[in-house]
Amino acid sequence: KAMLPNFVSGSSETLNSVHSDARALKAVADFCQHYEASHIIPSSHEMHRLWAVCSSASAAAIAAGLRGQLLPPAGGAVGGFWAPRLRALHLLEYFCWQGGSLGLEVFNLVIIKASRILHRLAEGPPLCREQAKRVLALQDLGLRPEKISL
């Protein structure tokens, strides 16, 4: 009976992880980019559904998806299109309040890697400005996964 090499025996777990990360990236992009004009500010139900999709993905993948949505679109208008960015800001706050290691790790990764973008948004269009300030205020609370026990 032949033995399988180690890298093959763990491959289904790796494939599942890659699939979960790709699914979460697409879900975050769809959430931020596709919405009804009358519902730019996401409902808690919408964010809860997305949280369920992202719960099996890595924090790094989710954070990368959120950072990508916070960036102004290439070739867009001065200041960029604000609605997808506003939705990403709401989602970032929602993830923070979900607590646990995943939600707080996503929040902290975005704060660390997108700090300049968040500060720019805090000076941007009014709705983005207020939501970016809320997110930055959460950072000031010093929320870290190891400081919160559930």
Side-chain angles (χ1 to χ4, degrees):
K1 186 172 179 178
M3 296 286 291
L4 293 175
N6 285 339
F7 69 89
V8 173
S9 64
S11 65
S12 67
E13 186 176 312
T14 302
L15 286 175
N16 286 338
S17 175
V18 168
H19 176 71
S20 294
D21 286 356
R23 189 170 164 222
L25 279 168
K26 182 179 180 342
V28 167
D30 288 347
F31 176 90
C32 294
Q33 297 292 326
H34 303 112
Y35 51 88
E36 293 181 34
S38 61
H39 291 97
I40 294 171
I41 295 175
S43 69
S44 59
H45 180 70
E46 287 178 278
M47 292 186 285
H48 181 74
R49 281 196 327 248
L50 183 65
W51 173 256
V53 170
C54 291
S55 64
S56 61
S58 71
I62 301 165
L66 281 169
R67 281 193 325 270
Q69 295 304 313
L70 291 170
L71 292 169
V78 175
F81 300 104
W82 59 270
R85 297 160 85 189
L86 177 63
R87 289 177 68 82
L89 288 166
H90 276 277
L91 194 56
L92 183 56
E93 179 183 8
Y94 183 84
F95 271 51
C96 177
W97 287 118
Q98 293 312 297
S101 60
L102 180 64
L104 290 173
E105 188 175 352
V106 168
F107 177 80
N108 287 318
L109 284 170
V110 174
I111 291 293
I112 290 166
K113 297 190 178 227
S115 180
R116 283 196 334 228
I117 296 166
L118 291 168
H119 281 90
R120 252 186 258 133
L121 287 170
E123 298 170 357
L127 289 174
C128 284
R129 179 182 319 133
E130 295 310 311
Q131 189 60 31
K133 287 178 181 178
R134 287 175 59 95
V135 167
L136 291 169
L138 288 173
Q139 174 195 15
D140 293 341
L141 292 176
L143 297 174
R144 300 282 183 267
E146 64 276 3
K147 289 188 178 180
I148 295 184
S149 59
L150 299 175

